[in-house]
């Protein structure tokens, strides 16, 4: 399996990925990116996200000292009311309205402090803000889904290097999330003979796909896909990973619907493992490692007065996707093109090889290592 081509199934999206380990040896004369270096200042007077600076709309940021959240000045969706959509005359031409809101969550006043360089307490501040905005937006009457995500680095299309994430809240559940929820629901209703009796169960004692998967990886004595694990969370390069150093982060001791269901201890351990993941990413190629990260959980919080009732979205199991593009070095990335666009995703090195490399990285950031130079 380390050398031979094969396909692996992704039960979350019900699709396959082609794994071609032997292709990792092919020569590369293609595009080379500029390395994502740590050479940014602590404050940039031209940055639209730094404290006290003006934004392009004329709004001035407060002199904030911790996390700072504001409505996105260039939102992808807009609040109601919206004008009527044009009518269509053919069933193949479907259209539906969408309303919502987009927010920007700035992690820290410092222009140069990514998650990998924040302390655990500072990351907890970010987690608490995720919880707050999830409740605020998720309880609005038109909102059916709240998506928290981070694009880190210009390689991921990030338009501002000041570390931040975004929250898009929409009146429809997006396609990928809907696929995951459908797979989780189908699994919970099936007779899963492969489900370990020791694995946590979903609500109502039903099987949970991600509870079972997390338990499987946490119980694997070889830990072949485990990057890092603590008392509550496990980070793995999943069996079905598409991106070279993709990570799936999830709680493995119990079924957790959303960030709101985490205990104080679980939030502390979440902050710690996010720090360890992002530090290992940076240390892999000694660069500011680019990635897209997204949180999948219940689309919205359970409504007041209905917390004891089980609904279709209670199959959700809180998890984080980290999807980074770098493949061979800080300057060579993976492209999703050709066969991957027209047929199915493909990867070169195996998830086990990727996990081994990440797990071997230090949990001390390379800029703080003995003998390191620079900031």
């Amino acid at each position: 399996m380390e050398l031979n081509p094969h396909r692996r199934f992704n039960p979350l999206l019900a699709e396959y990925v082609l794994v071609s380990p032997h292709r990792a040896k092919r020569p590369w004369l293609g595009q080379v990116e500029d390395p994502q270096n740590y050479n940014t200042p602590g404050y940039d007077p031209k940055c639209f996200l730094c404290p006290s600076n003006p934004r392009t709309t004329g709004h001035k940021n407060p002199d904030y000292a911790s996390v700072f959240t504001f409505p996105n000045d260039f939102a992808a969706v807009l609040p109601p009311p919206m004008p009527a959509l044009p009518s269509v005359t053919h069933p193949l031409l479907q259209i539906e309205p969408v309303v919502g809101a987009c927010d920007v969550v700035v992690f820290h006043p410092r222009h140069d402090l990514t998650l990998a360089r924040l302390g655990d307490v500072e990351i907890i501040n970010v987690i608490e803000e995720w919880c707050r905005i999830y409740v605020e937006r998720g309880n609005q009457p038109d909102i059916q889904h709240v998506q928290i995500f981070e694009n880190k680095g210009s390689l991921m299309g990030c338009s501002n290097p000041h570390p931040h994430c975004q929250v898009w809240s929409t009146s429809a559940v997006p396609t990928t999330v809907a696929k995951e929820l459908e797979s989780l629901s189908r699994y919970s209703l099936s007779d899963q003979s492969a489900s370990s009796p020791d694995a946590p169960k979903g609500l109502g004692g039903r099987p949970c796909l991600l509870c079972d998967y997390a338990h499987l990886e946490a119980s694997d004595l070889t830990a072949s896909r485990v990057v890092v694990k603590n008392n509550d969370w496990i980070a793995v390069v999943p069996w079905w990973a598409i991106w070279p150093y993709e990570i799936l982060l999830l709680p493995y001791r119990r079924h957790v619907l959303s960030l709101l269901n985490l205990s104080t201890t679980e939030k502390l351990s979440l902050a710690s493992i996010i720090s360890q993941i992002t530090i290992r990413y940076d240390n892999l190629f000694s660069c500011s490692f680019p990635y897209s990260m997204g949180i999948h959980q219940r689309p919205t919080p359970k409504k007041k007065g209905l917390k004891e009732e089980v609904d279709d979205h209670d199959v959700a199991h809180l998890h984080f996707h980290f999807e980074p593009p770098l493949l061979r070095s800080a300057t060579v990335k993976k492209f999703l093109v050709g066969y991957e666009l027209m047929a199915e995703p493909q990867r070169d090195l195996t998830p086990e090889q990727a996990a081994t490399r990440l797990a071997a990285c230090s949990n001390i950031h390379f800029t703080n290592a003995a003998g390191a130079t620079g900031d």
Side-chain angles (χ1 to χ4, degrees), residues 227-259:
V227 176
V228 61
K229 181 176 76 169
N230 61 26
N231 288 334
D232 304 300
W233 300 84
I234 186 167
V236 302
V237 179
W239 170 261
W240 52 82
I242 294 173
W243 295 96
Y245 294 98
E246 180 178 331
I247 281 180
L248 177 66
L249 169 63
L250 66 170
Y252 67 95
R253 293 195 178 275
R254 66 187 187 95
H255 184 71
V256 179
L257 289 176
S258 75
L259 292 167

Side-chain angles (χ1 to χ4, degrees), residues 71-79 82 98-104 149 166-170:
N72 196 317
D73 296 325
F74 301 95
V77 291
L78 300 173
M82 295 292 290
V98 60
V99 297
C102 297
D103 298 284
V104 176
F149 66 95
Q166 299 186 56
V167 185
W168 290 15
S169 306
T170 56

Side-chain angles (χ1 to χ4, degrees), residues 292-350:
S292 281
M293 178 276 288
I295 303 174
H296 285 173
Q297 54 187 329
R298 263 191 65 94
T300 58
K302 292 182 75 71
K303 305 301 181 184
K304 292 181 180 180
L306 300 177
K307 292 186 177 180
E308 302 305 320
E309 296 184 15
V310 177
D311 62 30
D312 291 344
H313 289 163
D314 284 333
V315 295
H317 184 104
L318 172 65
H319 59 286
F320 293 64
H321 294 280
F322 288 83
E323 300 185 350
L326 295 184
L327 175 58
R328 301 184 179 204
S329 68
T331 60
V332 176
K333 72 173 184 178
K334 173 183 175 59
F335 292 87
L336 279 176
V337 296
Y339 185 87
E340 291 154 303
L341 289 179
M342 305 302 166
E344 68 184 15
Q346 181 271 342
R347 65 177 290 122
D348 292 347
L349 77 164
T350 67

Side-chain angles (χ1 to χ4, degrees), residues 3-164:
L3 296 175
N4 296 322
H6 57 278
R7 297 169 83 210
R8 298 192 185 191
F9 184 66
N10 178 347
L12 270 179
L13 297 179
E15 62 184 31
Y16 282 89
V17 55
L18 173 63
V19 184
S20 312
H22 57 290
R23 278 173 53 86
K25 298 178 181 179
R26 75 189 192 280
W28 182 259
L29 296 176
Q31 181 170 322
V32 176
E33 310 292 338
D34 292 330
Q36 308 286 298
N37 293 324
Y38 273 112
N39 55 7
T40 53
Y43 169 76
D44 182 351
K46 297 181 180 180
C47 172
F48 300 125
L49 300 183
C50 278
S52 301
N53 284 0
R55 303 202 299 275
T56 55
T57 56
H59 294 91
K60 184 178 180 181
N61 296 329
D63 187 18
Y64 61 94
S66 183
V67 182
F68 169 49
T69 299
F70 64 93
N72 196 317
D73 296 325
F74 301 95
V77 291
L78 300 173
M82 295 292 290
L85 293 173
S87 59
V88 293
T89 58
H90 195 285
L92 291 178
L93 307 179
Q94 298 189 30
I95 187 172
E96 64 180 46
V98 60
V99 297
C102 297
D103 298 284
V104 176
V105 180
V106 186
F107 296 152
H108 194 276
R110 284 276 297 269
H111 186 75
D112 58 338
L113 293 186
T114 62
L115 289 175
R117 301 182 71 190
L118 292 179
D120 288 359
V121 173
E122 293 163 321
I123 297 177
I124 288 174
N125 292 337
V126 176
I127 294 170
E128 294 292 357
E129 183 62 11
W130 288 340
C131 292
R132 188 197 68 80
I133 197 72
Y134 172 65
V135 170
E136 178 184 312
R137 292 303 189 186
N139 281 324
Q140 292 179 354
D142 295 303
I143 300 303
Q144 296 298 316
H145 180 260
V146 178
Q147 180 62 62
I148 301 168
F149 66 95
E150 178 195 7
N151 293 326
K152 181 187 177 223
S154 58
L155 209 61
M156 303 308 296
C158 183
S159 60
N160 191 308
H162 194 125
H164 67 284

